[in-house]
Amino acid sequence: MAREDLTRLTGNAGGPHCDDDDCPNVYRSDYGSFVIQGSVSDAFTPPPGESLVEIPEQVLREAVRALGW
């Protein structure tokens, strides 16, 4: 899946020093799933095939507003 195949739900809520592609973001796929972009987290070791990312709360709030939830 390419970035162009996703709907970006969030803008630059990650901070004033973000470019369009390097801020924490939430995307929605055509299948209704979500793709999360954020800083790598080492809070614990996830199972094989999974990763942990950390994103600011305001990014999630922005995604919820974009979805109208």
Side-chain angles (χ1 to χ4, degrees), residues 40-59:
V40 175
S41 174
D42 60 0
F44 62 90
T45 303
E50 296 183 4
S51 297
L52 301 177
V53 297
E54 187 172 346
I55 62 171
E57 179 181 332
Q58 73 243 29
V59 174

Side-chain angles (χ1 to χ4, degrees), residues 1-67:
M1 176 180 326
R3 185 185 304 233
E4 298 80 35
D5 299 328
L6 301 170
T7 300
R8 185 174 174 168
L9 300 175
T10 55
N12 290 325
H17 302 291
C18 294
D19 292 327
D20 286 339
D21 294 335
D22 69 353
C23 292
N25 280 297
V26 177
Y27 300 85
R28 189 168 193 182
S29 75
D30 290 341
Y31 308 108
S33 63
F34 297 93
V35 176
I36 309 298
Q37 175 185 350
S39 300
V40 175
S41 174
D42 60 0
F44 62 90
T45 303
E50 296 183 4
S51 297
L52 301 177
V53 297
E54 187 172 346
I55 62 171
E57 179 181 332
Q58 73 243 29
V59 174
L60 290 178
R61 289 181 182 275
E62 186 179 356
V64 168
R65 280 193 300 274
L67 291 168

